[in-house]
Amino acid sequence: GGNFQLDQMLLSKAKSYTKRFTKFKNLKFTTRQQTPIPYNPFRSYATQHSNYLTSRIEEIKSMKKIAVAENMYPSIGEFDRMSVKEFREVYQTLENEDLMLDVTVDICGRLLSKRIAGKKLVFLVVAEGDHQMQIKCMAGNIDHDVLEEIRLLRRGDIIRATGHPHRTQRGELSLMTQNIRMLTPCLHELVDFNAISDIEIKHRQRYLDLMVNKGVRDRFVARAKIIKNLRDFLNDRDFVEVETPLLHSGPSGASADPFTTHYNSLNKNVYLRIAPELYLKKLIIGGMDRVYEIGKSFRNEGIDHTHNPEFTTCEFYQAYADYNKVMEMTEEMIKYILFLRFLILILNF
């Protein structure tokens, strides 16, 4: 009896699903008519294609047709450009709605955004390093070919803009452009700002991290300044900077596993240095009383976010000095670097 009731229940379910399927099968689907997008001389058609790279290449080909009479990718040396930082410093005193028609400026930078404000006006934002500025494009001030090129510009492109310094009605320092040229196209769609948080992508694609994440450039600049201060500290104390070989006939200078490579000319194995110690000590023996080196060392060991098999090291050696003197000098060096960094922060503030 239990099995009969179960069969009846399953049969009822099957009939119910069959009716639903038949009803769904008889439905008629109609294609929704898309409203055509009105023509805008500034709007790019790349957004209408799913394959961004393919459509971008097609856009660049059409740009080449526009630029048949002139160089598609002009050399920077062909014109004198003003940096974005310099532009903001020189023309910061302009009043609202001021336009300097007697001054023509060339600006180069990476296109960060394109904001269309109707059929006759578009605003571009370009960046050069940590500095940004606005470029104002009005259809009445530029040629048709330039309008077409502006329409095909995308985020990430490196562009050159020629125009007059101008401050808008709302007080934004801008460049009222006469001509815009692409210097280098960006073939891949640029992600939103601060959108990259994946550690693997940040470290493996540093160029992308630099483009979209704010503050990354500051680390590179801080590192360069620290190394400069380190050199200044040692040079002021009569140390001589030297370069010693990276390829050693045998691993030496520290207890670590080396990377191995091969000299084809000599038919022998050599090792990437794990420390510059021995060569620096040989210079001390040769009569150079104070030497130092800032360079790469390589250790074929563990790797994580704080340990890299390829790293920069600083080693300095001084004749007639013991470990107590070296410890004192190391403390002074750290204080010197930190004081200068703190002083720079105060001055910038």
Side-chain angles (χ1 to χ4, degrees), residues 273-292:
R273 74 176 180 195
I274 56 179
E277 179 178 338
L278 289 189
Y279 282 95
L280 292 175
K281 287 181 176 178
K282 289 178 182 179
L283 293 174
I284 293 289
I285 294 171
M288 297 184 68
D289 291 346
R290 301 186 181 196
V291 294
Y292 76 95

Side-chain angles (χ1 to χ4, degrees), residues 14-276:
K15 289 181 179 179
S16 174
Y17 288 133
T18 302
K19 290 180 180 179
R20 293 181 186 178
F21 176 76
T22 304
K23 183 179 180 181
F24 178 79
K25 185 178 180 181
N26 294 332
L27 289 176
K28 294 183 179 180
F29 295 93
T30 57
T31 304
R32 182 180 177 183
Q33 297 294 329
Q34 295 184 350
T35 305
I37 300 175
Y39 172 76
N40 190 314
F42 293 116
R43 194 176 299 279
S44 171
Y45 61 81
T47 54
Q48 302 174 16
H49 294 259
S50 57
N51 192 330
Y52 187 92
L53 178 59
T54 303
S55 60
R56 188 68 180 124
I57 292 174
E58 292 300 321
E59 287 182 340
I60 294 170
K61 288 180 180 179
S62 63
M63 278 188 177
K64 289 182 178 180
K65 294 179 181 178
I66 298 173
V68 169
E70 51 185 330
N71 185 11
M72 173 66 180
Y73 303 117
S75 171
I76 295 296
E78 295 177 5
F79 55 90
D80 295 326
R81 71 180 186 92
M82 177 180 285
S83 68
V84 174
K85 179 182 179 181
E86 185 181 1
F87 180 88
R88 301 193 71 90
E89 291 174 350
V90 172
Y91 300 109
Q92 62 179 346
T93 56
L94 288 180
E95 300 292 337
N96 290 8
E97 301 186 16
D98 280 355
L99 176 61
M100 302 180 66
L101 293 174
D102 57 333
V103 177
T104 302
V105 178
D106 280 304
I107 296 292
C108 297
R110 183 183 300 277
L111 180 61
L112 296 184
S113 67
K114 181 170 70 171
R115 180 166 56 89
I116 300 171
K119 294 184 178 181
K120 297 184 178 181
L121 181 63
V122 64
F123 294 99
L124 308 178
V125 176
V126 298
E128 185 185 25
D130 292 332
H131 304 279
Q132 300 180 11
M133 66 169 292
Q134 178 176 272
I135 296 176
K136 186 177 179 181
C137 309
M138 297 188 68
N141 297 341
I142 47 185
D143 297 334
H144 175 74
D145 290 346
V146 180
L147 282 175
E148 182 67 13
E149 188 155 352
I150 293 174
R151 182 179 75 85
L152 299 176
L153 291 177
R154 305 292 292 158
R155 287 185 63 224
D157 292 343
I158 305 296
I159 65 173
R160 166 199 173 190
T162 305
H164 309 296
H166 167 61
R167 190 177 290 277
T168 65
Q169 185 177 5
R170 296 187 176 183
E172 181 66 30
L173 185 60
S174 310
L175 184 73
M176 179 69 78
T177 186
Q178 294 175 306
N179 188 22
I180 286 185
R181 294 292 308 278
M182 177 191 290
L183 301 180
T184 304
C186 181
L187 297 181
H188 300 278
E189 190 171 11
L190 199 61
V191 298
D192 294 333
F193 294 108
N194 296 317
I196 299 179
S197 57
D198 187 275
I199 298 298
E200 287 293 323
I201 296 178
K202 287 167 66 70
H203 285 268
R204 294 183 185 276
Q205 301 183 45
R206 275 297 191 186
Y207 57 92
L208 188 60
D209 189 27
L210 278 165
M211 279 194 287
V212 301
N213 286 337
K214 295 180 179 180
V216 177
R217 178 186 172 85
D218 296 339
R219 301 175 196 169
F220 286 84
V221 174
R223 179 187 182 277
K225 290 180 178 179
I226 288 173
I227 292 178
K228 178 183 179 300
N229 295 339
L230 183 61
R231 281 196 172 96
D232 292 343
F233 177 86
L234 293 172
N235 292 338
D236 290 344
R237 286 156 180 77
D238 297 328
F239 279 81
V240 178
E241 184 177 9
V242 296
E243 288 187 1
T244 60
L246 288 175
L247 297 176
H248 293 183
S249 58
S252 60
S255 178
D257 294 330
F259 286 93
T260 306
T261 186
H262 186 76
Y263 259 138
N264 291 332
S265 324
L266 303 176
N267 192 24
K268 64 178 292 188
N269 288 336
V270 291
Y271 306 91
L272 271 68
R273 74 176 180 195
I274 56 179

Side-chain angles (χ1 to χ4, degrees), residues 267-332:
N267 192 24
K268 64 178 292 188
N269 288 336
V270 291
Y271 306 91
L272 271 68
R273 74 176 180 195
I274 56 179
E277 179 178 338
L278 289 189
Y279 282 95
L280 292 175
K281 287 181 176 178
K282 289 178 182 179
L283 293 174
I284 293 289
I285 294 171
M288 297 184 68
D289 291 346
R290 301 186 181 196
V291 294
Y292 76 95
E293 181 174 8
I294 300 174
K296 292 289 186 182
S297 292
F298 308 86
R299 299 185 181 182
N300 196 2
E301 297 178 342
I303 180 172
D304 56 40
H305 295 309
T306 58
H307 295 83
N308 194 345
E310 174 188 348
F311 60 96
T312 302
T313 182
C314 172
E315 289 199 16
F316 61 92
Y317 291 88
Q318 178 180 348
Y320 315 111
D322 60 4
Y323 71 94
N324 291 308
K325 178 63 176 177
V326 173
M327 285 195 298
E328 291 177 6
M329 189 178 300
T330 304
E331 291 176 357
E332 291 176 7

